[in-house]
Amino acid sequence: MTTRIQQGRVWSMDPAQEIALKQAWGILLKFFGYELSLKLDELELGKSLVNSKPGLHGRRADSVLLVLKDSLLVSSGGSSFAFQSSNTNIKSVYYSLETGGLDDASSGAFSLYHQEEHPALSRYIPEDLHRSLWSAVKNSSADNYLLKFVRLSHNDRKASLKWIAEVLDWRINKYPITDIVFDGDAVPFFEGKKPQLIEAFRRNEVYVRGNSRTGCPLVVVRAKEHFRLNCPDGDYEKLIMMNFEWQNLAMQEFKKGVDQAHVLFDLTGFTLKNADFHAVKMTVKLFQRIYPDCVEKVYIHKAPKIFSVMWNIIVKWMRPHLREKFVFTHTYEELRKYIESKYIPKSLGGKDKHIPTYIEPTEFNSRKKDPDALLGNLLRQRDELTIKFIEATIKWIESTTPEESKGYLDEKIRLSKARAQNYVFLDPYLRMRGPHDRNGEILSISY
């Protein structure tokens, strides 16, 4: 098994990206109410921030792998960790934001007056953004999550903060993403309230199968199966978002260095009856605003001439960073440059005879694991890991030497991986099994 070392990630970011990430984290943490020794204007200017020890940025792949592999293994039993005790104040702030009350083990009162508001965040509620952030990074790196916004904002502090806040608010106040993905298709199926949504799942318009040549999971979209009149727009939006979230859960960021997908839009047999500008516009928004840089390549395969009319409209909705990911292919040979033949559908000239099938939810194949004592241990474990990550992040931002900064950055990476491993054990308690789980298209989440 090989691990990809992509640029612009927390283990491969350049010096400018690291300073911009420190600024984003620092301003967010002060907005939440955590105490930092640096003032808001010092974070804005960034002059007192230091880069990590030379050699971290652009280090060779085997050096990065040592950091990723040197992670504390998290057991399902909620065993103790070899970390120093967390700062009491940090712990108090965390529990106040997440639960509205203090942790029993914490002492002293916490006042929200410690919060320092940045102009880019003035419209938002600290508690909302805090909860949204930690729920968004289930089994992935919080650093890499924020880095996507920083990277695509060209290290512009104000632009990236505004974007981050907009997305975090959207995830918790515009769409209850966590509830949507934890319910999946099973809850609406059992309740019988959204038959058209279930019919959309039955048509298998979207399925996951194999990988690209770069190791990214391959998502196949069969455009000719979609008709807008068959499913209300609001329900179809949920279906699209579920697929984005399921794909994120399937990524193996710490194990294989994979945090992007390849998407194959099969336009074989596409007609104007299949055109759905609402669904396309929603998908474009998710690709470029809500889940930025979540795809490496998007293939538009066998587009008929009539599609050019639609494309001329769609392309105007895209920013350059998304537009450059699209590749138009017409033949099997063109597809084979990016995808191995064994994963290319037989209908497109490949060797994959797979026929996507919707396995309906049952009490057995989709239910969540019943709560038990282990669940409580895992949830406490997750809180503790997140608190320690926040503490390490504050120390990383406040570091005064490259060596000190590097030490805390490496600790952040180890804590992130431990937190991701923790979610592997938590997932069965929290999430109903979706169609990709039941089909085996997405294998068990693991690290």
Side-chain angles (χ1 to χ4, degrees):
M1 180 191 69
T2 59
T3 299
R4 296 182 72 193
I5 304 299
Q6 294 176 287
Q7 295 305 304
R9 274 56 176 183
V10 66
W11 38 75
S12 59
M13 56 188 173
D14 62 38
Q17 288 170 338
E18 183 176 11
I19 295 299
L21 182 60
K22 284 190 174 188
Q23 289 177 303
W25 265 124
I27 293 170
L28 276 173
L29 291 173
K30 287 180 83 72
F31 176 66
F32 293 147
Y34 296 101
E35 292 187 34
L36 280 76
S37 61
L38 298 173
K39 296 180 180 179
L40 202 56
D41 58 350
E42 291 179 294
L43 289 168
E44 287 266 42
L45 293 173
K47 291 182 179 179
S48 59
L49 302 176
V50 300
N51 280 297
S52 297
K53 183 179 179 181
L56 171 71
H57 308 291
R59 65 167 72 172
R60 289 171 54 225
D62 54 354
S63 298
V64 177
L65 293 179
L66 287 176
V67 177
L68 295 181
K69 290 177 180 177
D70 184 23
S71 302
L72 295 177
L73 294 176
V74 180
S75 76
S76 60
S79 59
S80 60
F81 306 102
F83 302 135
Q84 295 181 348
S85 298
S86 296
N87 178 288
T88 302
N89 178 263
I90 293 173
K91 201 169 187 178
S92 297
V93 175
Y94 173 83
Y95 280 107
S96 180
L97 290 165
E98 288 292 304
T99 68
L102 295 175
D103 173 57
D104 292 338
S106 302
S107 60
F110 164 64
S111 170
L112 291 179
Y113 292 123
H114 287 303
Q115 292 170 335
E116 296 184 50
E117 188 177 277
H118 186 276
L121 307 175
S122 61
R123 295 173 45 225
Y124 303 100
I125 299 172
E127 293 89 338
D128 284 354
L129 299 197
H130 191 272
R131 292 169 189 160
S132 182
L133 171 61
W134 298 115
S135 67
V137 286
K138 295 176 177 63
N139 61 331
S140 57
S141 162
D143 284 315
N144 284 342
Y145 181 77
L146 296 187
L147 256 177
K148 291 184 178 184
F149 300 98
V150 169
R151 200 167 62 236
L152 292 174
S153 297
H154 306 290
N155 302 334
D156 183 314
R157 177 192 65 259
K158 186 176 180 180
S160 60
L161 278 172
K162 184 178 178 181
W163 190 358
I164 290 166
E166 173 195 319
V167 171
L168 292 179
D169 183 69
W170 188 91
R171 289 182 62 94
I172 197 169
N173 290 319
K174 302 294 191 302
Y175 278 93
I177 299 296
T178 298
D179 292 340
I180 290 172
V181 71
F182 283 176
D183 287 351
D185 64 316
V187 170
F189 180 90
F190 293 138
E191 291 180 346
K193 294 180 180 179
K194 296 188 179 295
Q196 290 169 298
L197 173 62
I198 300 305
E199 284 303 317
F201 276 110
R202 287 192 176 112
R203 287 191 293 275
N204 293 291
E205 297 175 23
V206 181
Y207 68 94
V208 184
R209 183 71 173 172
N211 305 293
S212 69
R213 289 189 180 274
T214 57
C216 298
L218 179 65
V219 182
V220 181
V221 181
R222 303 191 300 168
K224 71 175 182 178
E225 301 297 328
H226 179 72
F227 298 92
R228 184 179 182 182
L229 293 176
N230 287 341
C231 186
D233 290 341
D235 288 349
Y236 202 75
E237 287 175 4
K238 290 181 180 179
L239 183 148
I240 296 171
M241 283 184 285
M242 284 183 216
N243 277 287
F244 271 83
E245 287 288 325
W246 285 326
Q247 275 307 302
N248 278 347
L249 287 174
M251 299 296 179
Q252 299 190 55
E253 187 174 10
F254 290 99
K255 189 174 183 179
K256 296 183 179 180
V258 173
D259 61 2
Q260 295 172 303
H262 282 219
V263 181
L264 169 60
F265 281 92
D266 178 8
L267 297 189
T268 304
F270 179 89
T271 70
L272 285 180
K273 291 181 180 179
N274 304 114
D276 183 349
F277 282 102
H278 180 86
V280 171
K281 197 168 188 176
M282 179 68 177
T283 303
V284 170
K285 179 179 180 179
L286 294 176
F287 273 142
Q288 81 181 1
R289 292 298 298 174
I290 310 302
Y291 303 90
D293 217 21
C294 67
V295 291
E296 188 174 56
K297 293 290 182 184
V298 180
Y299 311 105
I300 304 296
H301 190 65
K302 288 195 172 182
K305 290 183 179 179
I306 195 67
F307 181 75
S308 61
V309 177
M310 192 174 180
W311 177 252
N312 288 336
I313 297 172
I314 296 171
V315 76
K316 293 176 183 178
W317 299 336
M318 298 184 193
R319 295 186 178 182
H321 74 262
L322 177 59
R323 198 179 305 146
E324 65 187 14
K325 296 175 181 289
F326 279 74
V327 178
F328 279 81
T329 56
H330 302 278
T331 66
Y332 160 72
E333 290 300 329
E334 289 175 327
L335 267 187
R336 203 159 64 92
K337 295 177 184 177
Y338 308 99
I339 307 167
E340 289 184 52
S341 182
K342 63 181 179 180
Y343 296 131
I344 298 174
K346 186 177 180 181
S347 60
L348 301 182
K351 296 180 180 179
D352 188 7
K353 299 178 181 179
H354 174 72
I355 299 175
T357 304
Y358 179 68
I359 298 176
E360 295 190 352
T362 67
E363 183 73 10
F364 174 75
N365 68 17
S366 64
R367 66 175 294 178
K368 292 187 284 189
K369 193 172 181 180
D370 292 333
D372 53 23
L374 178 57
L375 173 59
N377 288 337
L378 289 169
L379 290 172
R380 285 190 292 273
Q381 189 181 77
R382 188 163 189 79
D383 285 335
E384 190 66 17
L385 284 167
T386 307
I387 290 165
K388 292 179 187 300
F389 176 87
I390 293 168
E391 183 176 8
T393 299
I394 291 173
K395 291 179 178 178
W396 167 66
I397 295 168
E398 295 176 338
S399 296
T400 57
T401 68
E403 291 79 10
E404 184 183 15
S405 181
K406 178 187 178 298
Y408 286 121
L409 184 56
D410 285 352
E411 183 178 355
K412 276 159 58 67
I413 294 172
R414 288 191 290 269
L415 286 166
S416 287
K417 182 172 182 181
R419 190 174 182 274
Q421 291 171 324
N422 164 272
Y423 185 81
V424 173
F425 299 111
L426 261 179
D427 185 68
Y429 291 98
L430 305 178
R431 184 174 65 88
M432 301 288 280
R433 303 295 93 183
H436 303 309
D437 298 287
R438 300 192 299 269
N439 282 349
E441 292 169 349
I442 294 180
L443 300 178
S444 298
I445 300 169
S446 63
Y447 276 103

